[in-house]
Amino acid sequence: MNQERLLRHYAALMSAVPQSVWVLSADGVVTLLAGSGMRERLWHPDSGTSWMDAVHPKDRDWFRRAWRRTAEERSPLDTIVRVRLKDAPDRFRHIKIIAVPVLDEEGDTEWVGTAADAEDHWRIRMREKLLARMAAVPAAHDLSEAFLTTAAAVVPELADAVAVFHVRGEPGGAASLTSTEGVGLAPGLPSLYPLDRDILWGATPRQVIESQEARLLTFPPGEPPEDGLSKVSVRWLRRAGATSVALLPVVVDGRAVALATTTTCRGNPPPDEADLNLLQDVFQQMSGPLRRTMELQRIRDRALALQQSFLSPPSAVDGVSITALYHPADSAAEVGGDWYDAVRLSADSLALSIGDIAGHDLEAAAAMGRVNSLLRGLAYDSGPAASPAATLSRLDRIVQALAGPSMVTAVHAVIRRVAPHIWRVTLSNAGHPPPLLIPRDAPPRYLHDLMAPDPPLCVTDGLPRTDLHTVIREGDTLVFYTDGLVEAPGTDIGDNLRRLREHTEALVRARVPLATLIRRLLPPAQNRRDDIAVIALEARTGQ
């Protein structure tokens, strides 16, 4: 009688607390004993199904290992796991499980435990964890750091695959999506690469960007809708056994500047409304790094536009071909003072120059424009018979008198036709890397073998400068370049010059056209630490 009374008191107590008490028998039968809370909401298996079917597919492996370890050690289990709901079998809820193994009358192990709703607690902790990760993301010049950090934060807890795309252009116009390595994949999924194409750029993503409203697409495993998504993405979603795609715009100053895409795969259930809201909050945290990066990029773009405005298209002269390129550093949101120029002096002559202003900022770019314009004017005024050394000396005096930059390196050359297929080159080198001569019938060589360069401009007053003379014939090429092509921290300039010459020789043997040759001389993007300018003159054959 006393025992029955105690049981009634216990049942009354359990009905007043937000948890349920359950028993799992040795043969796998689950019984909900008492309690309010989750008693009526939790799904439990019928005959022929396992109690593990109630656990979320993503949680089954680790939960099964934890359960086995607890049974072997005969220790309590205390964890939070996602459990299927009774009224919505395709939805799950975080439940705090406390379980203790006990022996029944026959010596078999059964379990007694409690189940309490932990959804709000889990979401608060997860939100804090994810937002803390995002708070440490700095502005990244290529955005990849911010995107990668975000992708890693939500896989695999909230999604099986994540790709974050930078939105370029204006929605509804010439907008496009470009990946910046913002990719996260759960183990075993097919690769999302290559991401240099608009793999998710279809009608649906466009609508999300234009409306700035998130959208969730759900579908049977491996059966994504063919309309609204690109063919490439549909193929990947089929291979991955995807069940949903969430499209989440990242809005900065009223414009969608990034699109995050999350996917559930391999039969895992789609995110519910609470998951989707958490994902939106996490990805919107990228707005800070994105805003800072966009500000840096706008400054960089303005500076590059200024710099490019001073890089005039090379003037045409009969009998020669001129090819030039300018490539800004890829590793920082900076511009430099590199420039090239070619100006026609007469029908049979031209002046060609290349130089570098010390510094990497907007001030250096502006100084480059002033020095380049001065040299161009002096060269034209001096004419084809002028000494390049004398022209550089005049430039040096003017720049120093006008309180110009602290240091300028430059090569200035005058090229004149002296016979139908012969050009005389006179040049002066003010502390610049040596031009590379590529004879038609001999290995490439540097012109500093003939004479060492003079000191840079703006380092001292009244410094005498020298001219160097050489000849190029039809089929020969003369290449001028800035130090970004041959200088890198921790390397020897002599070794780098040797490698450049050997690389050039290999390209010449392969009969690579001049425009292609100078592009292939550039180091890989990940190794570029400085701006690079190159201008090359080729004496054409058949003139």
Side-chain angles (χ1 to χ4, degrees):
M1 186 69 178
N2 289 335
Q3 185 175 7
E4 292 180 1
R5 181 181 180 186
L6 288 174
L7 288 174
R8 287 197 303 272
H9 289 175
Y10 177 73
L13 174 64
M14 293 307 302
S15 65
V17 296
Q19 63 181 5
S20 301
V21 177
W22 52 268
V23 172
L24 174 66
S25 65
D27 57 0
V29 177
V30 178
T31 303
L32 292 174
L33 290 181
S36 56
M38 300 303 300
R39 181 180 181 182
E40 302 300 328
R41 298 192 62 188
L42 292 181
W43 176 90
H44 58 277
D46 299 323
S47 59
T49 58
S50 168
W51 63 271
M52 192 62 73
D53 291 339
V55 177
H56 192 287
K58 286 188 176 182
D59 294 347
R60 286 174 189 166
D61 286 343
W62 70 261
F63 187 70
R64 186 180 284 111
R65 289 193 299 268
W67 190 274
R68 187 182 303 116
R69 183 172 59 252
T70 299
E72 293 172 352
E73 299 174 356
R74 306 200 63 78
S75 59
L77 174 68
D78 187 345
T79 190
I80 294 178
V81 64
R82 284 171 287 185
V83 179
R84 193 184 305 272
L85 297 181
K86 182 179 181 180
D87 57 349
D90 59 339
R91 294 181 57 194
F92 295 80
R93 194 167 182 87
H94 287 87
I95 304 298
K96 182 176 179 61
I97 300 291
I98 298 177
V100 179
V102 295
L103 295 178
D104 62 14
E105 294 82 357
E106 298 179 359
D108 295 326
T109 299
E110 63 178 6
W111 297 80
V112 177
T114 62
D117 188 10
E119 185 70 21
D120 292 342
H121 172 76
W122 181 88
R123 292 196 181 278
I124 291 172
R125 294 292 301 274
M126 178 58 68
R127 181 185 301 273
E128 291 174 348
K129 182 177 73 173
L130 296 181
L131 298 187
R133 291 184 188 177
M134 292 305 301
V137 177
H141 302 309
D142 58 1
L143 301 180
S144 62
E145 186 175 357
F147 288 0
L148 280 171
T149 300
T150 309
V154 300
V155 174
E157 286 94 340
L158 297 177
D160 296 304
V162 173
V164 186
F165 298 86
H166 188 197
V167 178
R168 298 187 184 275
E170 294 296 330
S176 64
L177 291 174
T178 58
S179 170
T180 50
E181 302 180 6
V183 175
L185 290 174
L189 289 179
S191 172
L192 281 173
Y193 290 100
L195 284 176
D196 56 348
R197 294 179 293 176
D198 297 334
I199 66 168
L200 284 171
W201 193 232
T204 301
R206 287 184 185 273
Q207 293 168 4
V208 169
I209 289 173
E210 291 170 0
S211 67
Q212 299 182 12
E213 295 179 356
R215 185 168 180 182
L216 176 64
L217 306 178
T218 60
F219 39 84
E223 299 180 22
E226 296 188 4
D227 57 329
L229 299 175
S230 71
K231 293 182 179 179
V232 176
S233 64
V234 169
R235 286 197 298 268
W236 185 89
L237 293 169
R238 287 173 177 166
R239 291 175 57 201
T243 57
S244 74
V245 174
L247 303 172
L248 309 160
V250 180
V251 180
V252 176
D253 298 333
R255 186 170 73 89
V257 299
L259 179 68
T261 64
T262 68
T263 308
T264 52
C265 303
R266 295 180 296 193
N268 288 322
D272 58 22
E273 183 178 356
D275 291 332
L276 199 61
N277 290 336
L278 180 54
L279 283 168
Q280 286 182 279
D281 288 346
V282 170
F283 284 116
Q284 192 57 36
Q285 287 295 308
M286 287 195 304
S287 62
L290 280 168
R291 180 180 287 106
R292 295 192 295 272
T293 300
M294 290 165 61
E295 290 172 353
L296 289 173
Q297 190 63 50
R298 281 194 290 267
I299 294 172
R300 176 179 169 85
D301 290 344
R302 286 196 295 267
L304 286 176
L306 173 64
Q307 190 164 22
Q308 293 283 0
S309 69
F310 295 121
L311 302 178
S312 304
S315 301
V317 175
D318 291 340
V320 298
S321 296
I322 299 176
T323 303
L325 66 80
Y326 170 78
H327 203 290
D330 290 340
S331 60
E334 298 176 335
V335 294
D338 294 23
W339 89 87
Y340 61 77
D341 195 18
V343 56
R344 179 173 176 169
L345 304 178
S346 68
D348 291 328
S349 65
L350 74 157
L352 188 148
S353 59
I354 195 164
D356 187 5
I357 304 291
H360 290 86
D361 50 29
L362 189 58
E363 183 178 349
M368 175 273 293
R370 293 192 298 270
V371 172
N372 182 25
S373 297
L374 284 170
L375 180 55
R376 184 180 180 90
L378 290 173
Y380 188 81
D381 182 65
S382 300
S387 159
T391 302
L392 284 183
S393 294
R394 293 176 63 192
L395 175 66
D396 197 5
R397 290 194 299 271
I398 295 172
V399 172
Q400 291 194 56
L402 298 177
S406 59
M407 188 177 73
V408 181
T409 69
V411 174
H412 178 60
V414 174
I415 297 96
R416 292 183 296 165
R417 193 202 310 268
V418 295
H421 305 296
I422 300 175
W423 298 78
R424 183 173 182 82
V425 179
T426 305
L427 63 86
S428 184
N429 187 337
H432 203 75
L436 180 62
L437 176 62
I438 309 174
R440 181 182 182 182
D441 53 2
R445 68 177 187 274
Y446 291 107
L447 295 186
H448 70 182
D449 295 338
L450 303 178
M451 183 180 298
D454 298 325
L457 308 178
C458 303
V459 297
T460 187
D461 296 330
L463 182 71
R465 299 192 174 275
T466 55
D467 285 327
L468 181 151
H469 303 278
T470 189
V471 171
I472 60 174
R473 295 174 172 80
E474 63 176 3
D476 293 350
T477 302
L478 192 56
V479 180
F480 300 77
Y481 53 92
T482 54
D483 57 6
L485 192 62
V486 292
E487 290 185 2
T491 62
D492 181 76
I493 183 65
D495 292 340
N496 296 341
L497 287 169
R498 175 181 52 79
R499 282 192 287 269
L500 176 63
R501 178 176 51 80
E502 292 173 351
H503 186 198
T504 303
E505 185 173 5
L507 293 174
V508 170
R509 286 200 303 268
R511 300 183 181 277
V512 174
L514 180 58
T516 303
L517 184 147
I518 65 173
R519 285 197 303 273
R520 293 189 181 178
L521 293 180
L522 298 178
Q526 63 270 22
N527 295 338
R528 296 174 195 162
R529 298 294 182 269
D530 199 358
D531 296 359
I532 299 173
V534 180
I535 185 167
L537 178 145
E538 180 181 27
R540 294 200 299 262
T541 59
Q543 299 296 325

